[in-house]
Amino acid sequence: QDFLRASVIWLEEPTEEELSPSDLAGSTALEGLVETWLALVRAGVERQEGQMDMILEDLGPMPPASQATQRALWVCALINPLPGLGVAYEIRP
């Protein structure tokens, strides 16, 4: 059997003061993009009625823009949930 070896370096999430202006802008922009994405999915891609509402309930609220890493991971979980919607490439936090 083949095994894959990797090295991992754990990093601290930057504080709000340490976020670059572009990172904060990108994180802030996710809110509008999520709203648009949810509207498109709810318009006909849900595998069962209310699927996105259930996913959002499981995820809890979107983290604030100042927590860019947590917000990005939250969006990853939203756009590619399990069971999948079949609308996005495999994205796993």
Side-chain angles (χ1 to χ4, degrees), residues 22-89:
S22 63
D23 287 342
L24 187 56
S27 183
T28 301
L30 286 174
E31 195 162 335
L33 294 170
V34 164
E35 294 289 328
T36 301
W37 188 86
L38 284 170
L40 291 169
V41 169
R42 287 178 170 145
V45 182
E46 289 180 305
R47 291 195 174 176
Q48 62 184 17
E49 188 176 333
Q51 181 178 9
M52 292 313 303
D53 292 330
M54 290 184 288
I55 292 166
L56 287 166
E57 185 177 322
D58 288 343
L59 288 175
M62 179 189 289
S66 61
Q67 295 177 359
T69 302
Q70 295 303 316
R71 184 175 264 216
L73 292 174
W74 185 93
V75 171
C76 287
L78 176 69
I79 67 174
N80 200 9
L82 291 174
L85 293 167
V87 296
Y89 291 110

